[in-house]
Amino acid sequence: MSFSSALKEKTKKIWEDGYNHPFVQGLGKGTLDKESFLKSNIKKFRRQLL
């Protein structure tokens, strides 16, 4: 098994959990409510300022 295949297998659950997160799914489907989107971006912006 190649290094990249082994790495992919070891991180599969982490990737799936992130992909299946309600925020990510809502964003991808276009069903994410505006408030959740704004809260996420505000948090990200604050982290960038610190």
Side-chain angles (χ1 to χ4, degrees), residues 17-50:
D17 289 348
Y19 180 79
N20 292 319
H21 190 277
F23 182 88
V24 174
Q25 288 296 308
L27 189 61
K29 293 176 184 175
T31 59
L32 184 67
D33 64 283
K34 186 176 180 179
E35 185 176 331
S36 294
F37 181 75
L38 290 175
K39 282 183 181 179
S40 172
N41 283 317
I42 289 169
K43 285 179 186 178
K44 191 184 312 181
F45 181 69
R46 285 181 182 165
R47 278 182 278 190
Q48 291 174 351
L49 290 176
L50 298 176

